[in-house]
Amino acid sequence: MRLIQNMCTIAEYPAAGSAAAAECCLGAAGRRLVKIAVVGASGVGKTALVVRFLTRRFIGDYERNAGNLYTRQVQIEGESLAIQVQDTPGIQVHENGLNCNEQLNRCIRWADAVVIVFSITDHKSYELISQLHQHVQQLHLGTRLPMVLVANKADLLHIKQVDPQLGLQLASMLGCSFYEVSVSENYNDVYNAFHVLCKEVSHKQQPSSTPEKRRTSLIPRPKSPNMQDLKRRFKQALSAKVRTVTSV
Ligand SMILES: Nc1nc2c(ncn2[C@@H]2O[C@H](COP(=O)(O)OP(=O)(O)OP(=O)(O)O)[C@@H](O)[C@H]2O)c(=O)[nH]1
């Protein structure tokens, strides 16, 4: 859903391959930029989660999501990072699998990290997680995209359909962190879920951890044969000159 109250929507997310998308990890004022997409079934609390993280508030009244992009700054290990959070429309499930439209796929491709949300009050929203995780991985083939699984609406235990323990098991099977949260009742858990994700992306973005850089630092540079040759010739020329001087 989309937030009814007036909030800073900075832009539509750029199409993959556009100049804006290509600027990748540098945001305004040269700050490093972390781009996060929040995905999941309809009504699980994606907008509520994003709004809680950005404003600390739970408003509880939203209109259907139109795919808004929001921004905020966070401090990660002493560094101020710009974070863009993309709220997405709820994913529908059809008989032959997930129904992910191109808008959603573009958003997933654009992201450096993904928050996958389900609600403990909606078993169907839990059932689509594995497929959704697989879909995200297919859109980021060849990279290990940081992801976190969030089980929302933990305050509604009396109508729960999914045991949070199942969420934990699924997260460890998928290789991502797991947070059980109540967006309506607790800010800290929401903050922690985003914080852990930002930290992971931030570490991934560090130049020292890029494979290219690591490779160059591991393989010793061969000495240039030309340089050695030059040195040898220089020494020869020098000793010849010394000989000429002494003979005079
Ligand atoms: N009790 C409770 N209600 C919540 C919680 N989080 C969200 N809600 C409510 O769940 C409903 C759906 O929340 P949204 O944030 O609009 O869900 P969404 O995933 O963005 O929905 P779509 O836009 O349809 O995809 C709203 O009425 C929220 O107030 C929660 O932690 N506890």
Side-chain angles (χ1 to χ4, degrees):
M1 292 191 184
R2 194 178 62 187
L3 178 67
I4 290 172
Q5 284 204 346
N6 195 12
M7 198 159 125
C8 163
T9 301
I10 55 171
E12 278 295 298
Y13 53 81
S18 72
E23 79 177 11
C24 85
C25 41
L26 276 189
R31 273 194 196 92
R32 281 201 297 140
L33 177 63
V34 175
K35 295 171 291 184
I36 299 175
V38 179
V39 299
S42 187
V44 294
K46 296 181 300 297
T47 306
L49 180 85
V50 172
V51 172
R52 187 65 139 148
F53 172 60
L54 296 165
T55 67
R56 286 177 168 255
R57 288 186 296 159
F58 177 71
I59 293 149
D61 192 15
Y62 312 92
E63 66 181 37
R64 283 199 75 78
N65 180 272
N68 286 347
L69 178 69
Y70 305 100
T71 190
R72 78 168 266 187
Q73 310 292 327
V74 287
Q75 292 288 325
I76 302 283
E77 292 165 338
E79 185 187 358
S80 176
L81 299 182
I83 302 189
Q84 288 183 350
V85 185
Q86 177 69 55
D87 189 9
T88 63
I91 291 165
Q92 313 289 328
V93 188
H94 287 275
E95 293 127 37
N96 42 358
L98 295 181
N99 180 23
C100 295
N101 60 28
E102 192 40 40
Q103 184 196 9
L104 180 68
N105 289 343
R106 251 200 294 155
C107 172
I108 293 171
R109 276 192 218 102
W110 159 90
D112 300 316
V114 169
V115 178
I116 304 180
V117 191
F118 72 93
S119 163
I120 66 156
T121 63
D122 176 2
H123 201 273
K124 283 204 159 59
S125 72
Y126 168 77
E127 284 166 24
L128 65 79
I129 299 299
S130 294
Q131 277 185 71
L132 183 52
H133 181 269
Q134 204 178 339
H135 182 71
V136 172
Q137 282 194 315
Q138 274 166 2
L139 293 177
H140 282 269
L141 269 185
T143 52
R144 209 195 133 272
L145 194 78
M147 280 187 246
V148 66
L149 181 61
V150 170
N152 187 29
K153 307 199 186 182
D155 56 298
L156 298 178
L157 277 177
H158 54 290
I159 50 166
K160 85 167 181 210
Q161 292 181 3
V162 187
D163 195 319
Q165 194 60 30
L166 286 176
L168 181 63
Q169 282 168 12
L170 183 58
S172 66
M173 220 174 73
L174 301 175
C176 49
S177 332
F178 174 71
Y179 285 85
E180 185 193 349
V181 308
S182 165
V183 171
S184 67
E185 293 192 345
N186 189 309
Y187 167 74
N188 287 341
D189 294 338
V190 171
Y191 177 81
N192 287 341
F194 278 94
H195 194 264
V196 157
L197 206 53
C198 292
K199 218 162 141 180
E200 206 180 323
V201 175
S202 165
H203 287 173
K204 239 184 118 190
Q205 285 178 350
Q206 296 291 341
S208 58
S209 68
T210 60
E212 201 46 49
K213 185 102 181 182
R214 246 186 283 131
R215 217 178 304 135
T216 46
S217 61
L218 283 176
I219 303 170
R221 274 248 221 87
K223 278 189 184 164
S224 158
N226 287 345
M227 201 56 200
Q228 283 179 332
D229 194 38
L230 273 177
K231 271 186 195 165
R232 190 174 42 79
R233 272 195 270 159
F234 179 69
K235 268 188 193 160
Q236 273 174 359
L238 203 67
S239 57
K241 196 160 189 185
V242 171
R243 268 203 306 276
T244 332
V245 172
T246 21
S247 61
V248 172

